[in-house]
Amino acid sequence: ENYKVGGLAKYGLDYESLHTELPQLIYCSITGFGQTGPYRDRAGYDYAVQGMGGLMSVTGERDDLPGGGPQKVGVAVADLFTGMYASTAILAALRHRDLTGQGQAIDMALLDTQVAMLANLGANYLVSGKVPGRAGNAHQNIVPYQVFEVAPAPDGGKDHIILAVGNDGQFAKFCAVAGRPDLAADPRYARNQDRVRNRAELVPLLASLMKTRAKPDWLAALEAAKVPCGAINNLAEVFDDPHVQQRDMVTTWSHPLQDGLRLVSSPMKLGATPVRTDLPPPLLGQHTREVLQQVLGCTDARLAQLQEGKVI
């Protein structure tokens, strides 16, 4: 059976026939569930895939706590990761074509990507057979690696920071900063595997300690000691962050609809071929005629026909 790929099938086309005529063709299909398997004809949406692919089973507060239950991630991560994986696959296919002259079909699926994204949790399950649950802002395999409430903010409201102790040395440094070096020497907490095992006793101790100092004090002291930590910023704070600004993560465009339009920049910092910032995002259909004429060779008469038929 011919390999039907994504949008080609609805036009009665298949990759094999196209590949015969254009052996260098690289075609990437992105669908919810891929070109094979019992779900191949289903529509795929990020939200559903987050649930089906296990992400929502490990995202959210524990079921036994207030607000517990499955949660989706705040942005469409399955969509975004599939696009990233697809771009990497296309680059790999291009390198293969450079070497052999042969193109190929790429079959990308949101559900496949979501399963791959399970990372350490997926590996933990496959090795141990134990199904992980939701842990809120805590880490399944590292302690302490979570959000802690600190002393109230100047306005009296609750304030929090992320404490991300990644190894035993960092835990010892944290304990020194917190004024409790004895915790790092305690055999119940000295090693990460012991801290994970004794999480229920250790975390409440740390939670009490964290409430004794305000966020700026903790962040300054922990950063000075090289203990990974971070604020929890809203988007206004993100774009006001001096490091984000220094990294040029906002680009201002002269755009037909709004002069001085501010958009998030590309995170790719290429030394020899920097990302272009001279062409603003196009309007819908802005380059349709140009592409049809210059790339596909459409005549003015053909363009008029397409426009009259409301194709363009």
Side-chain angles (χ1 to χ4, degrees), residues 116-199:
M117 282 169 53
L118 294 174
N120 60 300
L121 296 184
N124 286 351
Y125 167 72
L126 293 175
V127 170
S128 70
K130 296 179 180 178
V131 177
R134 287 176 286 278
N137 285 314
H139 196 286
Q140 302 274 6
N141 303 109
I142 306 174
V143 174
Y145 200 102
Q146 63 187 80
V147 172
F148 284 100
E149 184 178 347
V150 294
D155 62 3
K158 287 187 176 182
D159 221 344
H160 303 80
I161 69 167
I162 298 167
L163 179 63
V165 170
N167 56 52
D168 298 337
Q170 290 173 356
F171 182 66
K173 292 178 182 178
F174 162 74
C175 292
V177 169
R180 289 293 306 272
D182 57 298
L183 291 177
D186 191 317
R188 294 173 297 171
Y189 312 132
R191 298 179 303 169
N192 181 67
Q193 63 193 64
D194 300 314
R195 293 193 294 275
V196 171
R197 187 177 300 113
N198 296 294
R199 182 195 303 259

Side-chain angles (χ1 to χ4, degrees), residues 54-140:
L55 184 60
M56 291 176 64
S57 77
V58 294
T59 303
E61 193 51 88
R62 285 176 10 209
D63 289 341
D64 60 330
L65 294 178
Q71 290 285 323
K72 74 178 184 67
V73 178
V75 295
V77 289
D79 285 349
L80 295 170
F81 266 77
T82 304
M84 296 296 290
Y85 270 108
S87 65
T88 303
I90 291 168
L91 291 173
L94 286 169
R95 294 294 293 132
H96 175 74
R97 189 175 70 180
D98 290 343
L99 294 172
T100 68
Q102 292 296 307
Q104 59 185 294
I106 301 168
D107 178 11
M108 296 297 307
L110 270 65
L111 183 58
D112 293 353
T113 298
Q114 180 56 77
V115 172
M117 282 169 53
L118 294 174
N120 60 300
L121 296 184
N124 286 351
Y125 167 72
L126 293 175
V127 170
S128 70
K130 296 179 180 178
V131 177
R134 287 176 286 278
N137 285 314
H139 196 286
Q140 302 274 6

Side-chain angles (χ1 to χ4, degrees), residues 22-39:
L22 302 167
Q24 291 186 312
L25 176 66
I26 294 170
Y27 186 99
C28 182
S29 162
I30 299 178
T31 60
F33 300 98
Q35 301 302 315
T36 59
Y39 303 156

Side-chain angles (χ1 to χ4, degrees), residues 257-279:
L257 295 183
Q258 179 182 333
D259 195 28
L261 178 66
R262 299 172 73 235
L263 297 174
V264 179
S265 303
S266 169
M268 295 184 289
K269 305 294 194 285
L270 296 161
T273 56
V275 174
R276 292 179 60 176
T277 58
D278 57 323
L279 296 174

Side-chain angles (χ1 to χ4, degrees), residues 4-14 27:
K4 303 288 185 181
V5 184
L8 290 178
K10 65 182 178 181
Y11 298 113
L13 301 173
D14 61 85
Y27 186 99

